Amino acid sequence: MIYLDANATTPLLPEVLDAMLPWLREGFHNPNASYRGAKEARKAIDEARAQVAALIGATPDEIVFTGGGTESTNTALKWLARLVGRKTGKVVTSAIEHSAVLKPVETFGEVGYPVTLAGVDGGGRLKLDEYQAACEAAKEGGGLASVMWANNETGVIQPVEEAGAIAKENGLAFHTDAIQAVGKIAVNVRAAPVDFLSLSAHKFHGPKGVGALYIRGGARFEPLLRGGGQEKDRRSGTENTAGIVGLGKAAELAMARLAAGETPRALRNAFEAKVVELVQGATVNGDLLHRLPGTSHLSFTGCEAAGLLILLDDAGVACSAGSACMTGKQQPSHVQKAMGFPDAKAKSSLRFGFSCLNTMEEAMEAAAAVAKAVEKLRKVQGGSTGPVVVYSA
Ligand SMILES: Cc1ncc(COP(=O)(O)O)c(C=O)c1O
């Protein structure tokens, strides 16, 4: 199997598993207890905190461990909404956010917060003028803004520094969902005016079900989960020591890869070039100047993505149509809609996600498999794309 769905999740690196295993075996102690084993677990958690902080340019006390990306975004957004107050608060975000942001934001809308979704251009980048107007409109009464660092479907990197600065100019708190960006490109919370940042281990070769929320030092905050007061009362619940150690190790390894300039960019570019060479009517989507190095979003005229996915699966290539969370829903992706893609294009698009574990041989083999699948499907479909199919992390 050639695994090209790194935006959905990534395989655990062997070094990460090795770092985790002792904490699932003999290192099982509750880190909040007072004996030696517990103290060792506490020390391991604090080391992981420093590793995660280093990856994003934060200080360790600004990192709160969570049960994954979705918990991080919900924690930040729900607190920010409470902070600004129901009577006057407004919420500004983008139309292309992940459901881990859009769904909580929807619930604010239901209870009376005016919500504005700023649009994106045809390349999938935030329209800063629309976003700025929305932030200015939210200035009176206060509010919050949330803009993702990079999009999960297209890989397009958003102008987060500008978006954060505009939020701050208008007195709004600013959160960024950096779940697709952290570990893949340089993300530094000191370089952007970010109050809250969400990240998730499994997107950069760490374990699933563990993430972190960066909370800028001095920012007001109240927890989503209350209980035993762990994480300095910012996220209660006995710590997932093994998961947290895995996140820390994955962060350390990602930092080393970034420092060494190791990215899957060359693989992704070679794959795209080959596909475009072999397949007539293949287009590369998204702002080419602002893309994650491992993401490729392609459309194939006259070819239904659902059919392609089946043929590629048969050929041993794992990829997605849109985002993994939406696979199985009979609707085109909200991201492609926001980019103005006609339905026919939206339903003929696939997402390929490369990681540091892929090889050039795999990239070339996958490109050939794509070309074969398109050819086969075009013959069967005779160039017509049926009803709108679906979308999926
Ligand atoms: C941009 C983005 N935000 C949020 C999430 C949710 O993260 P998690 O799977 O860790 O809950 C994902 C994962 O698909 C994502 O890609």
Side-chain angles (χ1 to χ4, degrees):
M1 165 70 69
I2 302 178
Y3 182 72
L4 296 183
D5 204 11
N7 295 33
T9 195
T10 52
L12 211 59
L13 284 172
E15 299 93 318
V16 174
L17 180 61
D18 288 347
M20 292 172 69
L21 284 175
W23 304 103
L24 290 165
R25 292 188 176 128
E26 61 275 18
F28 63 89
H29 307 97
N30 189 322
N32 304 292
S34 58
Y35 33 80
R36 196 176 314 151
K39 285 184 182 150
E40 282 168 8
R42 166 68 49 218
K43 194 165 158 243
I45 289 172
D46 286 342
E47 272 170 29
R49 202 183 303 283
Q51 287 164 319
V52 172
L55 179 62
I56 60 167
T59 57
D61 57 333
E62 292 174 316
I63 303 296
V64 175
F65 292 118
T66 65
T70 302
E71 188 189 314
S72 298
T73 57
N74 274 261
T75 303
L77 292 165
K78 288 182 179 164
W79 155 240
L80 288 173
R82 255 182 298 157
L83 178 70
V84 296
R86 193 171 291 180
K87 287 205 180 96
T88 55
K90 296 187 182 67
V91 180
V92 181
T93 187
S94 84
I96 56 158
E97 297 295 311
H98 190 273
S99 47
V101 165
L102 288 176
K103 292 284 174 188
V105 158
E106 229 172 67
T107 61
F108 304 154
E110 283 159 15
V111 295
Y113 290 93
V115 174
T116 309
L117 302 184
V120 293
D121 61 23
R125 268 201 127 208
L126 180 69
K127 285 183 179 159
L128 277 171
D129 52 345
E130 258 184 39
Y131 169 82
Q132 177 153 10
C135 287
E136 282 166 6
K139 186 171 185 172
E140 204 180 313
L144 71 99
S146 185
V147 174
M148 68 196 325
W149 204 294
N151 183 263
N152 46 299
E153 287 186 36
T154 60
V156 172
I157 299 167
Q158 301 302 318
V160 172
E161 285 157 38
E162 291 93 325
I166 292 168
K168 297 281 111 192
E169 275 159 25
N170 291 286
L172 310 181
F174 186 69
H175 165 257
T176 180
D177 171 353
I179 289 166
Q180 286 292 341
V182 170
K184 297 177 182 165
I185 53 172
V187 167
N188 191 314
V189 292
R190 299 281 174 249
V194 168
D195 296 312
F196 295 85
L197 176 147
S198 295
L199 63 89
S200 180
H202 75 101
K203 304 291 185 183
F204 55 100
H205 304 286
K208 291 169 190 50
V210 58
L213 179 64
Y214 156 82
I215 306 174
R216 183 177 46 76
R220 283 178 64 202
F221 175 72
E222 274 193 38
L224 183 66
L225 300 186
R226 292 172 188 275
Q230 290 87 347
E231 292 294 283
K232 296 207 175 126
D233 217 9
R234 294 175 297 182
R235 197 276 189 183
S236 286
T238 303
E239 295 88 341
N240 169 10
T241 310
I244 290 170
V245 167
L247 166 57
K249 188 69 189 175
E252 182 192 274
L253 295 170
M255 210 171 147
R257 284 196 303 276
L258 288 169
E262 279 171 34
T263 76
R265 189 183 302 278
L267 301 181
R268 189 274 311 273
N269 289 353
F271 166 79
E272 281 183 346
K274 197 73 187 166
V275 169
V276 168
E277 179 196 317
L278 296 175
V279 183
Q280 256 193 0
T283 50
V284 181
N285 303 318
D287 185 321
L288 299 187
L289 292 178
H290 301 97
R291 271 196 310 163
L292 292 175
T295 307
S296 177
H297 192 269
L298 302 171
S299 299
F300 302 94
T301 319
C303 247
E304 210 169 80
L308 284 176
L309 283 179
I310 294 168
L311 292 173
L312 286 170
D313 190 26
D314 283 349
V317 176
C319 60
S320 278
S323 81
C325 307
M326 296 178 70
T327 305
K329 291 186 187 167
Q330 297 296 312
Q331 59 198 15
S333 125
H334 67 288
V335 176
Q336 296 184 70
K337 272 188 170 173
M339 289 165 76
F341 285 15
D343 273 1
K345 181 170 178 166
K347 69 184 176 181
S348 71
S349 306
L350 291 183
R351 180 191 68 184
F352 300 86
F354 291 81
S355 80
C356 63
L357 294 178
N358 292 118
T359 63
M360 192 55 94
E361 290 71 37
E362 287 182 330
M364 291 301 100
E365 222 181 282
V370 169
K372 244 187 181 170
V374 170
E375 196 188 322
K376 193 165 177 184
L377 202 61
R378 280 185 180 152
K379 269 191 199 143
V380 177
Q381 285 183 191
S384 81
T385 39
V388 172
V389 202
V390 186
Y391 284 87
S392 69

